Each structure stands twice: as C-alpha cells, then as structure tokens.
Amino acid sequence: AAASRGRILFRAGKVPWADLAMDDPAWAQLAAWAGHDALDQARLRAVVGWPNTGVIVVPTRVVPALADMWAELIDKVVFWLTGYLGRQPAESLYFTDTIAFQLALAGLARSHGQALERTVAHLPVQVNCQLNWPLGALDDAGYLSSLDQNPPVLLHAAQDSLRLTPAGTIEAVPLRARQLFPFLSAALAQLAAALRPPDRDATAA
C-alpha cells in the first residue's frame, strides 16, 4: 500500500484481446501521434499494459489534469482512427477509451517529469473482477488461484454475466457463471452478509 501511495491505480487488463489490440499497427501509430516514440511505447506496454478503466483510484491533486488529458485524447484517438486510419466507428470506439487512458497516463507522467513507474500501480483483481473473461485467461493471468484464496469484493458483471434488477442489485446468478467462476459463491455469500439487516436485539444491546 505504501509503495502505491500517490499513484494512479487500476487493474491490468490481462485479457486475450489486450495483446491483440496493442499488436495492431494502429496502436503504435496512435501513440506516435500523441508524441511517444518506440521506446516510450515499449515502456507503456511494460508498465501500464492494457488498463481496465472500470475501477480507477486517482489522487485528488491529479484528477483535473488526468480528466482533461483523457477527454482530449478520446476525441483525438477517435479522429485519428476514423479520419486518418480509416477504421469504422463501431470497431474503433470499443478500444478508444482504453487507448486514450494509456496515452493520458504517459502524458501525465511526462508533464510531471517523472517515470511511469512512479505514476501508476496495479490494483489486485479482487477490486475489479471481470466476469466476461474466459476461464483459461483468468488462469493464465494468475488471477484464478488468487480469487480462490480471496474472493472479489467488486464484480464487473459484463455481458449479462449476472442478471441484475433495475436497481442494480443481483437478481440471479446463471448456472454457467457459477460453473465458470468457482470463487463466485463465496463472493456472493460475503455480499449477502454485508447487505443483511442488523439484528435488532444485538443493536438494542
């Protein structure tokens, strides 16, 4: 915890499409247009990786600068992808947010005159557990054994992996999700315990 103090925290997106996206020549071209040469790009891949932007912890002092830079780069990346690289909006927009966030982190580190390693750090999978991962990808990333030992506290229920009520609470857990993610039962038991109304007798005592 002390090592990550003052840094921007996010979970590394160790998913099959991460390398696929960054191996696309368009990624290197976008980074170059944002002012990052090949050495910068290698460092960006090694230190930041493919960030998942579902849960981000940002020090208060850098929120305005990061928000402005990120928003500006989203507009630029969309323009570069569709206007210069000829990508269709539908296939481009899915990755736009993530690529812009990567480039914003690199730009923020540069503007502060510090290394990326001192700007960012990775959150554990328990605080942003994405339920549309293939089970093999979870295992390859080293997340599966970690989740078996320590269940997640925040579930990223993408692509209808959990059925939710209009209020956002969990209505049902499909059998396939329970089979794919053995840690899910423990996580939901923790959630149920946390949401259970307090014992009136205990409260009165």
Side-chain angles (χ1 to χ4, degrees):
S4 61
R5 190 172 298 137
R7 301 182 188 190
I8 298 167
L9 309 178
F10 53 88
R11 198 208 71 227
K14 297 179 181 178
V15 288
W17 54 89
D19 287 336
L20 183 67
M22 291 187 288
D23 286 341
D24 188 319
W27 182 86
Q29 183 60 72
L30 293 169
W33 281 335
H36 305 291
D37 60 20
L39 185 61
D40 293 334
Q41 293 169 28
R43 188 175 296 113
L44 193 57
R45 290 187 67 150
V47 177
V48 174
W50 188 254
N52 183 285
T53 55
V55 177
I56 306 170
V57 180
V58 184
T60 305
R61 61 182 172 78
V62 300
V63 167
L66 178 63
D68 289 347
M69 198 173 295
W70 191 3
E72 180 181 346
L73 280 162
I74 287 174
D75 290 339
K76 286 183 176 179
V77 168
V78 170
F79 177 72
W80 291 334
L81 280 170
T82 58
Y84 289 160
L85 296 177
R87 300 298 177 91
Q88 296 299 313
E91 73 179 75
S92 302
L93 293 180
Y94 180 79
F95 295 109
T96 298
D97 173 73
T98 304
I99 295 172
F101 183 64
Q102 286 178 311
L103 299 177
L105 293 174
L108 193 66
R110 177 177 290 175
S111 69
H112 288 172
Q114 64 184 27
L116 264 174
E117 291 86 349
R118 295 180 58 83
T119 304
V120 304
H122 290 157
L123 289 169
V125 67
Q126 280 78 8
V127 297
N128 183 2
C129 182
Q130 192 172 340
L131 294 184
N132 63 330
W133 259 322
L135 196 61
L138 269 174
D139 198 18
D140 291 344
Y143 287 155
L144 196 55
S145 59
S146 174
L147 288 164
D148 284 341
Q149 295 173 22
N150 298 291
V153 293
L154 287 178
L155 293 171
H156 182 163
Q159 298 180 339
D160 299 321
S161 48
L162 297 178
R163 289 201 294 274
L164 305 178
T165 67
T169 55
I170 297 173
E171 179 179 57
V173 181
L175 177 61
R176 177 167 172 75
R178 290 186 184 273
Q179 292 171 334
L180 282 178
F181 307 114
F183 54 81
L184 201 50
S185 295
L188 295 176
Q190 286 184 352
L191 177 62
L195 295 177
R196 191 176 300 124
D199 187 330
R200 290 185 177 180
D201 294 337
T203 305

